[in-house]
Amino acid sequence: MHRRSNIALAALALAATLASPGSARAQDRIQVVTTLPVFAELVKAVGGDRVEVMAVATPLQDPHFVDARPSYILAAGRADLFVAAGMDLEVGWEPLVREGSRNADIQIGGRGYVDASA
Protein backbone atom coordinates (compact mmCIF):
# COMPACT_ATOMS: atom_id res chain seq x y z
CA MET A 1 0.00 0.00 0.00
CA HIS A 2 2.85 2.42 0.83
CA ARG A 3 4.41 1.90 -2.63
CA ARG A 4 1.06 2.57 -4.26
CA SER A 5 0.72 5.87 -2.35
CA ASN A 6 4.22 6.93 -3.53
CA ILE A 7 3.25 6.27 -7.12
CA ALA A 8 0.01 8.18 -6.60
CA LEU A 9 2.00 11.10 -5.18
CA ALA A 10 4.21 11.26 -8.26
CA ALA A 11 1.18 10.99 -10.54
CA LEU A 12 -0.59 13.81 -8.68
CA ALA A 13 2.50 16.01 -8.91
CA LEU A 14 2.67 15.41 -12.65
CA ALA A 15 -1.04 16.10 -13.05
CA ALA A 16 -0.67 19.36 -11.12
CA THR A 17 2.26 20.37 -13.31
CA LEU A 18 0.30 19.56 -16.46
CA ALA A 19 -2.64 21.62 -15.22
CA SER A 20 -0.53 24.61 -14.19
CA PRO A 21 -0.83 27.32 -16.85
CA GLY A 22 2.58 28.82 -16.02
CA SER A 23 4.57 25.60 -16.17
CA ALA A 24 5.02 25.53 -19.94
CA ARG A 25 3.55 27.02 -23.07
CA ALA A 26 0.62 25.12 -24.57
CA GLN A 27 2.67 23.72 -27.48
CA ASP A 28 5.64 22.69 -25.31
CA ARG A 29 5.99 19.37 -23.59
CA ILE A 30 6.53 19.26 -19.84
CA GLN A 31 10.20 18.43 -19.25
CA VAL A 32 10.64 15.73 -16.60
CA VAL A 33 13.81 14.21 -15.17
CA THR A 34 13.53 11.11 -13.01
CA THR A 35 16.23 9.34 -11.10
CA LEU A 36 14.93 5.84 -11.88
CA PRO A 37 13.48 4.31 -15.05
CA VAL A 38 10.37 3.08 -13.20
CA PHE A 39 9.41 6.69 -12.46
CA ALA A 40 10.04 7.64 -16.10
CA GLU A 41 7.58 4.96 -17.21
CA LEU A 42 5.01 6.22 -14.71
CA VAL A 43 5.39 9.78 -15.97
CA LYS A 44 5.00 8.60 -19.58
CA ALA A 45 1.86 6.66 -18.65
CA VAL A 46 0.30 9.67 -16.93
CA GLY A 47 1.56 12.45 -19.19
CA GLY A 48 1.41 10.76 -22.58
CA ASP A 49 2.47 13.04 -25.42
CA ARG A 50 2.41 16.10 -23.15
CA VAL A 51 5.68 15.12 -21.45
CA GLU A 52 9.28 14.56 -22.42
CA VAL A 53 10.99 12.31 -19.91
CA MET A 54 14.58 11.40 -19.17
CA ALA A 55 15.62 8.84 -16.55
CA VAL A 56 19.12 9.34 -15.21
CA ALA A 57 19.77 5.74 -14.13
CA THR A 58 19.30 2.92 -16.61
CA PRO A 59 17.56 -0.34 -15.71
CA LEU A 60 20.93 -2.11 -15.62
CA GLN A 61 22.63 0.37 -13.26
CA ASP A 62 22.84 0.13 -9.51
CA PRO A 63 20.95 3.29 -8.48
CA HIS A 64 23.38 3.84 -5.61
CA PHE A 65 26.27 4.32 -8.02
CA VAL A 66 25.51 6.60 -10.96
CA ASP A 67 27.93 9.20 -12.29
CA ALA A 68 26.53 12.75 -12.23
CA ARG A 69 27.31 13.53 -15.87
CA PRO A 70 27.09 17.08 -17.23
CA SER A 71 24.30 15.99 -19.61
CA TYR A 72 22.14 15.01 -16.61
CA ILE A 73 22.77 18.39 -14.98
CA LEU A 74 21.83 20.20 -18.20
CA ALA A 75 18.61 18.17 -18.52
CA ALA A 76 17.73 18.94 -14.90
CA GLY A 77 18.31 22.62 -15.61
CA ARG A 78 15.53 22.51 -18.20
CA ALA A 79 13.18 20.31 -16.14
CA ASP A 80 9.75 21.36 -14.96
CA LEU A 81 9.52 18.29 -12.73
CA PHE A 82 12.19 16.20 -10.99
CA VAL A 83 11.16 12.85 -9.48
CA ALA A 84 13.53 11.13 -7.03
CA ALA A 85 13.08 7.89 -5.11
CA GLY A 86 14.38 9.48 -1.93
CA MET A 87 15.33 7.62 1.26
CA ASP A 88 19.01 8.21 0.35
CA LEU A 89 18.84 5.75 -2.55
CA GLU A 90 20.55 8.27 -4.86
CA VAL A 91 22.40 10.20 -2.13
CA GLY A 92 25.79 9.98 -3.86
CA TRP A 93 24.73 11.64 -7.11
CA GLU A 94 21.19 13.04 -7.06
CA PRO A 95 22.07 16.21 -5.11
CA LEU A 96 24.91 16.91 -7.55
CA VAL A 97 22.53 16.69 -10.51
CA ARG A 98 19.67 18.61 -8.89
CA GLU A 99 21.73 21.35 -7.22
CA GLY A 100 24.14 21.62 -10.14
CA SER A 101 21.21 22.38 -12.43
CA ARG A 102 20.60 25.73 -10.68
CA ASN A 103 16.91 25.21 -11.37
CA ALA A 104 15.01 26.60 -8.38
CA ASP A 105 11.80 24.75 -9.30
CA ILE A 106 13.32 21.30 -8.80
CA GLN A 107 15.18 21.94 -5.57
CA ILE A 108 13.87 20.40 -2.34
CA GLY A 109 10.73 22.33 -1.46
CA GLY A 110 10.34 23.63 -5.01
CA ARG A 111 7.10 23.22 -6.93
CA GLY A 112 8.66 20.74 -9.35
CA TYR A 113 10.46 18.49 -6.84
CA VAL A 114 8.88 15.12 -6.02
CA ASP A 115 10.35 12.85 -3.36
CA ALA A 116 8.50 9.60 -4.10
CA SER A 117 9.35 8.23 -0.66
CA ALA A 118 7.53 11.03 1.16
Side-chain angles (χ1 to χ4, degrees):
M1 175 120 168
H2 183 65
R3 178 177 162 83
R4 190 171 292 157
S5 65
N6 291 345
I7 292 171
L9 172 67
L12 285 173
L14 176 61
T17 301
L18 289 171
S20 173
S23 63
R25 294 186 311 239
Q27 70 272 21
D28 291 342
R29 291 182 176 172
I30 304 296
Q31 301 297 310
V32 183
V33 173
T34 68
T35 57
L36 303 177
V38 67
F39 296 133
E41 292 304 315
L42 172 67
V43 168
K44 289 176 192 174
V46 173
D49 63 354
R50 295 185 65 196
V51 297
E52 187 171 322
V53 187
M54 185 199 93
V56 174
T58 69
L60 301 177
Q61 283 180 298
D62 181 340
H64 292 95
F65 304 105
V66 174
D67 292 326
R69 295 183 181 171
S71 61
Y72 304 152
I73 295 168
L74 288 172
R78 294 185 297 269
D80 298 301
L81 191 67
F82 187 90
V83 182
M87 295 177 46
D88 292 338
L89 180 68
E90 317 100 330
V91 71
W93 57 272
E94 182 267 339
L96 297 172
V97 171
R98 186 178 34 75
E99 293 169 7
S101 74
R102 298 184 180 166
N103 180 345
D105 288 340
I106 66 164
Q107 301 307 315
I108 294 174
R111 70 182 184 142
Y113 177 77
V114 177
D115 178 346
S117 71

